[in-house]
Amino acid sequence: MSSSSRTDAGGDAGGDAGGDAPVVGSGTAQLRGSSLLFVGKFLAIGGNLAIQVLIVRYLSQSAYGAFAYALAIANLLTVVVGFGLEQAIQRFAAIYDEAKAYDRLAGAILLQIGLVVVLGTVVVVGTWASQDLLLGIAIDDRQAISLLVVMVLLAPLQALDALIMNLFAVWAKPMVIFTRKYLLAPGLKVAAAVIVVLTGGDVFDLAWAYVGATLLGILVYARLLVRTFRDQKILVRGRRPTFPIREVGGYAFMAVASDLVVVLLFASDAILVGAFGGAEDVALVQAVQPVANGNLNVFYALIPLFIPLMSRLFARDDVEERNAVFQRSMLWALVFSFPVLTLTFSFADVTAVTLFGAEYGPSGPILALFALGQFVQGAFGLTGLTLKVLAQLKRLAVLNLVIAVANIGANIALIPRFGPVGAAIGTAASLVVLNAGRVVLLRQATGMRVMTRPLLRAGALVTVFAGALWVVGRLVAVSFPVALLLGAVASIVLYLLTRDDLEVGVVFPELTRLPVLRAIVR
């Protein structure tokens, strides 16, 4: 790791080769805050996994398939309603705040809220009006379409929720994000699911419970966000907002194209599997997708603080610190995502059956393929975010569009022949090619080194360990507890072999004061 990873926000060196104590810099602070969000994301995954297992085991396979189908479309429409502004607002809010341009900052926030309200209304009303048309064209399942009419309400609600969380991140409030996003949100959904199960509710009760839990979470933190605006002098009586429509809107239009591709990859799986098969096939795919998403745990934990920090460094033209933050964050995402990969890829079959029952045994290969694609996305996803921060959006949008079209074409060709597994093959391959393309674009556009020696070494170790565990899973009937143990041992060995590059002791110097941990986090 270069010395720039130990610099302060202004880029002054805080340590040298002689071993002086490093100064906690902007990149270190970002990783410290992101580590809190990692813990929160881990807790949220536990909560979401509990919801997933509870729902899948409670509902019939056809009912769960209809629910998952509606939820997948609602998540896709969330990106459409947000129109990419949730990431644009994070970038421009940090830049405007750095420049003290509070009139433009207030205008950008109001622009986002207004657009969500307008597009959300169009999407909800349009879905309600076209439900009879969708039946038979999208999926020949009345229950799935009826659930979509309810769950489409999640699109504007989730877009507003993303806006709130991204704005909190601009002013580096990881504890607020931790509490709201990783404790309250999954906690409300767990409570909603448990109430539905205990009261003997049906799948429609569950859909309304999801909508209610999301709305309640927004209401709880909207007031705190207004207080933050006042503390930051954004809301000042008499100040007229300036709406940076062209600047923010142009960026957002390209950003939404980038966001849509990843969401579309998985939403198209549910849509096309439903069209060629039915709700039960959708259930096989969608049951394991949230489990595979565990490979994005570290990546998602890094996002809230990564984008504002990189935006501020971009505004200051601090290239050295910007590169250091990027490279270390990539390495952390790769190494600390590995434990989930062992269960979701190497031991995917036993994981699927343990969580969801024998009837979901065919989901094992689907989980393995999804996990492989999501691990690559988690390890290299910061390349796409960095391209957005640096406003390198045109070529990124073209790449995303090509991948999205290719994925849909691959799914149409593979699903009729291989069923749900064909959708997983197409999606995993698309994610690998997409991230390879992003690496090339970032190198061409900025000259930033992505495949550094520490990252290549860690990647080689991950490949060897994950592959070896996969072979063990094929040769021996491994129980879930044994899979956990083998994955833990491999993860510890991986950490020990990469700890000098991770520099955990630099990010958390207080851990080096504990004799038990000093040798581990050095």
Side-chain angles (χ1 to χ4, degrees):
M1 184 67 61
S2 67
S3 62
S4 61
S5 64
R6 307 178 184 214
T7 58
D8 61 15
D12 297 330
D16 57 26
D20 293 340
V23 176
V24 176
S26 56
T28 299
Q30 175 250 344
L31 284 175
R32 287 176 64 90
S34 295
S35 298
L36 174 64
L37 300 185
F38 170 77
V39 173
K41 186 65 179 177
F42 182 80
L43 294 174
I45 283 180
N48 290 331
L49 183 60
I51 297 172
Q52 185 75 356
V53 173
L54 181 64
I55 291 174
V56 172
R57 288 185 173 269
Y58 177 71
L59 298 175
S60 67
Q61 191 168 345
S62 60
Y64 173 71
F67 177 84
Y69 178 88
L71 183 60
I73 295 181
N75 289 337
L76 176 62
L77 293 175
T78 297
V79 179
V80 175
V81 170
F83 199 68
L85 282 173
E86 71 278 358
Q87 289 190 27
I89 202 67
Q90 225 181 2
R91 178 182 189 271
F92 286 103
I95 292 174
Y96 294 152
D97 184 59
E98 190 75 17
K100 311 299 182 186
Y102 296 124
D103 57 333
R104 299 177 70 81
L105 176 54
I109 294 170
L110 292 175
L111 180 65
Q112 163 87 65
I113 295 173
L115 191 62
V116 167
V117 171
V118 172
L119 291 181
T121 301
V122 171
V123 164
V124 170
V125 172
T127 303
W128 288 350
S130 61
Q131 54 184 301
D132 291 333
L133 180 64
L134 292 173
L135 182 63
I137 296 178
I139 185 173
D140 190 16
D141 190 307
R142 169 65 68 178
Q143 187 178 48
I145 298 300
S146 298
L147 283 168
L148 177 59
V149 171
V150 176
M151 300 188 73
V152 72
L153 293 169
L154 287 173
L157 292 177
Q158 290 179 158
L160 284 175
D161 187 59
L163 170 64
I164 291 173
M165 289 302 98
N166 287 343
L167 286 173
F168 276 128
V170 171
W171 292 283
K173 293 184 178 292
M175 182 57 71
V176 174
I177 301 172
F178 173 86
T179 305
R180 166 63 186 91
K181 192 170 185 178
Y182 301 132
L183 293 183
L184 182 64
L188 288 173
K189 287 185 177 179
V190 168
V194 169
I195 290 172
V196 170
V197 171
L198 292 179
T199 58
D202 60 16
V203 67
F204 289 95
D205 296 321
L206 181 63
W208 281 112
Y210 259 56
V211 172
T214 305
L215 177 60
L216 181 58
I218 291 173
L219 294 176
V220 168
Y221 272 77
R223 185 175 180 181
L224 181 58
L225 182 62
V226 172
R227 188 186 309 162
T228 300
F229 287 163
R230 289 173 179 163
D231 292 342
Q232 298 295 328
K233 309 300 182 184
I234 297 171
L235 295 180
V236 177
R237 190 181 300 275
R239 175 185 292 155
R240 298 185 61 181
T242 299
F243 296 96
I245 296 176
R246 186 170 184 177
E247 183 178 14
V248 175
Y251 180 94
F253 178 78
M254 303 303 294
V256 73
S258 301
D259 291 342
L260 271 174
V261 64
V262 175
V263 179
L264 186 61
L265 290 180
F266 291 96
S268 66
D269 289 341
I271 294 170
L272 293 174
V273 168
F276 286 109
E280 292 189 358
D281 283 347
V282 173
L284 293 176
V285 172
Q286 296 300 103
V288 295
Q289 184 185 320
V291 182
N293 289 349
N295 290 281
L296 299 174
N297 186 3
V298 180
F299 172 60
Y300 282 148
L302 290 169
I303 289 176
L305 302 183
F306 180 84
I307 294 178
L309 173 59
M310 291 292 279
S311 297
R312 292 182 188 277
L313 294 174
F314 172 74
R316 299 171 191 167
D317 198 25
D318 192 341
V319 176
E320 186 178 10
E321 179 70 2
R322 187 180 69 201
N323 291 349
V325 169
F326 171 78
Q327 291 165 5
R328 186 190 282 176
S329 297
M330 285 269 293
L331 186 61
W332 276 51
L334 179 69
V335 172
F336 292 121
S337 298
F338 177 73
V340 177
L341 183 69
T342 63
L343 293 177
T344 56
F345 171 74
S346 302
F347 301 114
D349 292 337
V350 66
T351 298
V353 172
T354 300
L355 293 178
F356 306 119
E359 63 181 320
Y360 283 89
S363 293
I366 300 171
L367 173 59
L369 288 163
F370 277 166
L372 181 61
Q374 292 289 45
F375 181 80
V376 173
Q377 170 68 10
F380 293 94
L382 292 178
T383 56
L385 293 179
T386 303
L387 285 166
K388 290 180 182 179
V389 168
L390 301 178
Q392 300 289 327
L393 294 178
K394 290 185 179 180
R395 286 189 292 174
L396 180 61
V398 171
L399 171 66
N400 290 340
L401 179 61
V402 170
I403 295 298
V405 172
N407 176 69
I408 293 174
N411 280 351
I412 292 174
L414 293 171
I415 292 174
R417 182 173 181 180
F418 300 105
V421 175
I425 293 173
T427 298
S430 297
L431 284 172
V432 172
V433 176
L434 172 65
N435 283 281
R438 288 172 174 173
V439 169
V440 173
L441 286 183
L442 186 62
R443 179 67 174 176
Q444 290 177 345
T446 67
M448 291 179 64
R449 291 185 60 198
V450 177
M451 306 306 294
T452 59
R453 183 173 297 177
L455 191 67
L456 289 171
R457 180 166 54 247
L461 290 171
V462 164
T463 302
V464 171
F465 290 169
L469 292 177
W470 183 86
V471 171
V472 170
R474 303 282 75 73
L475 297 178
V476 182
V478 177
S479 66
F480 191 68
V482 173
L484 281 172
L485 178 61
L486 292 175
V489 171
S491 300
I492 291 171
V493 173
L494 175 64
Y495 168 76
L496 293 176
L497 292 175
T498 58
R499 60 181 171 177
D500 290 340
D501 296 322
L502 292 168
E503 298 183 314
V504 176
V506 174
V507 179
F508 297 100
E510 59 270 24
L511 296 180
T512 62
R513 304 188 191 109
L514 303 175
V516 177
L517 297 178
R518 185 177 300 129
I520 299 175
V521 301
R522 67 183 185 188

